[in-house]
Amino acid sequence: MFKRFVYLVLALILLHGAAGAQPEKAKNVILFLADAGGVSTVSAASLHGYGEPQRLFVQSWPNLALSDTSPASDWVSDSAAGMTAIVTGEKTQNGVISMDATTVRNKTDGRVLKTILEYAEERGLSTGVVTDMSIVDATPAACYAHSNNRSKSGEIILQAFKPRFGDGVDVLIGSGRNAVETALKAMEKDWDTVGSGPGRPVFASLDQIQAADARPVAILEGAVDVPAAARIALDRLERNPRGYFLMIEWDAHTDRLPGGLDRLVNFDKLIREIAGRVDLKETLLLFTADHSFSLSVYSGRRSEPLLKGLDEWKEKNAGQKTKFVELPNVRIYNTHTGEEVIATAIGPGAGRVRGFLPNTRLFGIMLEAWGWSPDPPGR
Ligand SMILES: [Zn+2]
């Protein structure tokens, strides 16, 4: 009887503690964006990388939602509309970078939408954008720029150096150097005029970044070592006592196998590493995709590689542009698709990631994790 009473008191104390606890707030938010990493791609990455389902680190996270990626007027999203929704909380038209749905692509500007990176800059946090794709590609661009057309590379990169809030994105690392250089040339600009104004050299390799470079910009030609770039970014962003926002994108399009699945397995390993590095009591980690991709697992056995027959298929189709990839176990129709993608999270505010939600809600979830409110409409 007495024992039972003690248990009751203990339970009451625990309950009271839980109810009375301050809602946990994030100091830092890291958004991991697997471009085109839909449900079936995430699932296949585990089969490909580990020969078993649900072995990815992100598949161990308890907070999970299905996020609708449809843009303002279509069912199927490109990276521009998909990422705009995630980082601004508003759906827009395909091809549009962080402007609202009234934008007519390549014709007229819509209302400029404030991005999560700009909210963070405005509040004195440090910010970073890391991608294995072109630094002006739609996903990174939607964080730091606004344009009525994702193809306006010159206009987009210039905005990285002319921020609307704070001192602009602090760490910027991506690919596409030659193409951006060509776009700048068309505007009668070059790396020196872009970089020297605000006193920021645009490095051509990660090796050129010195420990003393607190706000490095590196735009490389060819492959980006994403884990190395992420470490460079975190080393710097972590110095800000107010916290930081970091977006890391790693392309998971599976049109050229095994690339997309290999990259997603490696992305997941990087996320595991970062989860071990940051303080998860004050850092929200959110993993999602901007849109899905048409990959399906049709067949296969635990004892065999998921992508068996890939070499033979490549040999047979060498030099041809194919819309389909057809392997014994996997079929890919080379296109984005419209179904929901996974959003999953750990850290403060991660509990809000649940159920079916629109991708615009992810913006609110990141903002609320910091304890911030969105600007009133019209600002
Ligand atoms: Zn995309």
Side-chain angles (χ1 to χ4, degrees):
M1 188 64 196
F2 176 71
K3 225 175 178 180
R4 209 178 270 177
F5 176 75
V6 170
Y7 284 140
L8 184 69
V9 169
L10 273 175
L12 280 173
I13 290 170
L14 280 172
L15 268 175
H16 180 80
Q22 289 294 311
E24 40 176 18
K25 266 192 196 161
K27 179 180 163 196
N28 317 304
V29 173
I30 306 179
L31 171 59
F32 298 101
L33 200 293
D35 201 306
V39 174
S40 61
T41 301
V42 171
S43 169
S46 180
L47 303 184
H48 171 65
Y50 298 97
E52 289 285 341
Q54 300 190 345
R55 286 294 170 89
L56 297 181
F57 176 59
V58 295
Q59 290 176 312
S60 71
W61 292 4
N63 308 288
L64 180 70
L66 285 174
S67 169
D68 161 54
T69 64
S70 65
S73 306
D74 301 273
W75 300 133
V76 181
S77 190
D78 78 335
S79 296
M83 191 60 170
T84 295
I86 294 168
V87 298
T88 72
E90 286 200 37
K91 287 187 185 279
T92 191
Q93 312 297 344
N94 276 332
V96 173
I97 303 289
S98 291
M99 286 184 181
D100 78 356
T102 63
T103 311
V104 183
R105 182 175 182 170
N106 208 28
K107 287 207 176 82
T108 53
D109 285 359
R111 186 167 51 89
V112 168
L113 301 172
K114 190 163 157 186
T115 74
I116 192 95
L117 186 146
E118 291 178 319
Y119 275 86
E121 277 293 329
E122 184 182 40
R123 284 158 179 77
L125 278 70
S126 289
T127 60
V129 170
V130 168
T131 178
D132 72 317
M133 297 173 82
S134 167
I135 198 65
V136 294
D137 200 56
T139 305
C143 296
Y144 66 81
H146 310 269
S147 177
N148 64 29
N149 189 353
R150 59 181 288 171
S151 311
K152 294 182 176 174
S153 308
E155 176 185 306
I156 287 169
I157 193 65
L158 289 178
Q159 291 179 54
F161 299 94
K162 289 198 180 70
R164 304 191 312 138
F165 298 94
D167 54 3
V169 56
D170 297 293
V171 181
L172 192 62
I173 302 176
S175 186
R177 188 175 184 91
N178 292 348
V180 176
E181 199 171 310
T182 305
L184 285 172
K185 222 174 251 170
M187 301 172 85
E188 295 180 356
K189 291 183 185 296
D190 56 31
W191 293 123
D192 288 335
T193 50
V194 168
S196 65
R200 301 180 79 179
V202 180
F203 299 119
S205 81
L206 296 184
D207 299 336
Q208 291 177 318
I209 301 174
Q210 303 296 313
D213 293 313
R215 307 180 65 232
V217 179
I219 304 179
L220 325 179
E221 186 57 28
V224 175
D225 182 341
V226 179
R231 286 173 209 129
I232 286 170
L234 281 170
D235 284 346
R236 282 143 185 94
L237 301 180
E238 282 171 353
R239 293 176 196 161
N240 190 333
R242 292 193 185 176
Y244 60 83
F245 168 77
L246 173 61
M247 193 288 292
I248 304 175
E249 177 196 33
W250 208 334
D251 178 27
H253 282 83
T254 49
D255 49 327
R256 278 188 228 149
L257 287 172
L261 294 183
D262 283 340
R263 288 191 296 270
L264 191 48
V265 170
N266 288 331
F267 197 9
D268 182 70
K269 285 179 182 164
L270 173 63
I271 296 169
R272 187 192 293 272
E273 176 192 320
I274 291 175
R277 166 179 177 149
V278 301
D279 182 353
L280 289 173
K281 285 199 284 298
E282 58 176 33
T283 309
L284 172 66
L285 306 185
L286 174 61
F287 170 88
T288 193
D290 49 350
H291 51 76
S292 192
F293 200 81
S294 176
L295 172 150
S296 297
V297 174
Y298 277 79
S299 182
R301 299 170 61 82
R302 278 182 152 77
S303 53
E304 66 187 25
L306 177 71
L307 299 182
K308 77 169 184 183
L310 179 60
D311 290 342
E312 292 86 332
W313 186 88
K314 277 184 170 168
E315 230 165 79
K316 218 173 88 189
N317 295 279
Q320 294 178 56
K321 260 204 152 176
T322 54
K323 193 77 185 159
F324 296 93
V325 179
E326 197 167 354
L327 307 179
N329 297 339
V330 174
R331 288 176 210 172
I332 292 168
Y333 184 69
N334 181 10
T335 186
H336 295 184
T337 50
E339 76 279 2
E340 286 89 346
V341 298
I342 292 167
T344 184
I346 50 173
R352 296 186 181 97
V353 179
R354 55 191 301 204
F356 285 79
L357 46 78
N359 52 0
T360 50
R361 175 70 190 122
L362 299 175
F363 166 78
I365 286 171
M366 291 187 279
L367 219 58
E368 286 161 28
W370 274 309
W372 303 345
S373 304
D375 290 346
R379 218 196 106 178

